[in-house]
Amino acid sequence: MKIHIQGGRLIDPANGVDAVNDIYIAAGRVVGIGQAPAGFVPNRLIDARGLAVLPGLVDLSARLREPGFEHRATLESELQAALAGGVTSLVLPPDTDPVLDEPGLVEMLKHRARQLNQSHVYPLGAMTVGLKGEIITEMAELTEAGCVAFSQADAHVTDTNVLLRAMQYARTFDYALWLRPEDPWLAREGVAASGAMASRLGLAGIPEQAETIALHTLFELQRATRARLHLCRISSAAGIELVRRARAEGLPVTCDVSAHHVHLTDVDIGYFDAHCRLTPPLRGQRDRDAIRAALADGTIDAICSDHTPVDEDYKLLPFGEAEPGATGLELLLSLALKWARDADLPLSRAVARVTSEPARVLGTKVLASCGQLGAGALADLCLVDLDAHWLVSEDSLQSQGKHTPFLGMELPGKVRMTIVAGHVAYEAAA
């Protein structure tokens, strides 16, 4: 299939492009920008006038609920939701059932995703067997099976010696560890951020020290090992300052933030709204403002959806008993655009945080395949009406998970088409 995308505003932060340009696609790759290659005859002409053409979004955390939780969501439903949100590459945490701690499970998941021929799926392998924090997995074998890095998801490692040995192993083979910084003892039984709001509602709190103490531990071990670390879902102003210092010191560390935390605070819990029961918890306005500033200056590399479909039986419970998590794949682009507009930043800054920067976090092997639209790049892209607004409702979400704190809100940016590896994978209804 040869495709000519005509007259769209190409926003490609990786290549410093923000201008009206035609794009030419053949054999699944971008073969020309602005000018067609010699002899190029398209099979399809796409009129993109009035639309933005963006690299396909790269989401650093999306639980697709397979294997093991198909009653909550399936690969088919969630990959279709990803396409509707312009997401063409997804990183999957290892907390499936069974856990992604064996090569056969990873290969099966990759094979199933390939059969669907939709967005690209990049699994994280479990750092420890069963995510129990006791025995380190065979990272080399999991890498050969297709894992891009190693994680504990939301499970903790209480034995610091295990964490040290995992970092030494990872450093030896230049693997990256993706860890969410949280001290298990300070966070135990907590359901909301410590502070006036949690106290007023009578909710068990999680102090910011749960994040900062974990960060201090990780950075000390990183200084000893020089292992590559990606910090998942930073949530506090104090935590961000520690990351800023670590990066200034030269430690090999990157980090991301959930799209929910870019916009919401603990006040949004309101009258025990379980849609706002998230991990990590929503914190105060000072923390939210620090997150936005760190995104703007590059301390935080990427915004992720932290997509976690939860069914009604587990969500429509009292706040403290509800399962944390929210759907986010279809909201990622809109929430990134809203952040840039609220902060009066160039749209290219928001696009970078969901395309080229998360691709860079994934590393050089993946970087060539996603997050940018230079000549020769894989033709993963989306066409977006930046001026359109859409209402977040259960009917408007294609994900099987319908629970999000943004239900009833109107958000900017509507994806009209998503192209994956040169084929049109999604077209919005006229």
Side-chain angles (χ1 to χ4, degrees), residues 375-392:
L378 196 65
D380 291 348
L381 53 95
C382 58
L383 277 62
V384 182
D385 186 344
L386 296 174
D387 296 324
H389 286 73
W390 62 288
L391 182 68
V392 182

Side-chain angles (χ1 to χ4, degrees), residues 97-118:
D97 185 16
V99 168
L100 296 181
D101 59 3
E102 294 183 6
L105 296 170
V106 176
E107 290 167 353
M108 178 185 69
L109 179 61
K110 294 273 290 183
H111 174 70
R112 179 136 158 65
R114 279 194 301 269
Q115 281 186 316
L116 294 174
N117 195 30
Q118 294 180 310

Side-chain angles (χ1 to χ4, degrees), residues 58 97 131 302 370 376:
V58 181
D97 185 16
L131 297 177
C370 63

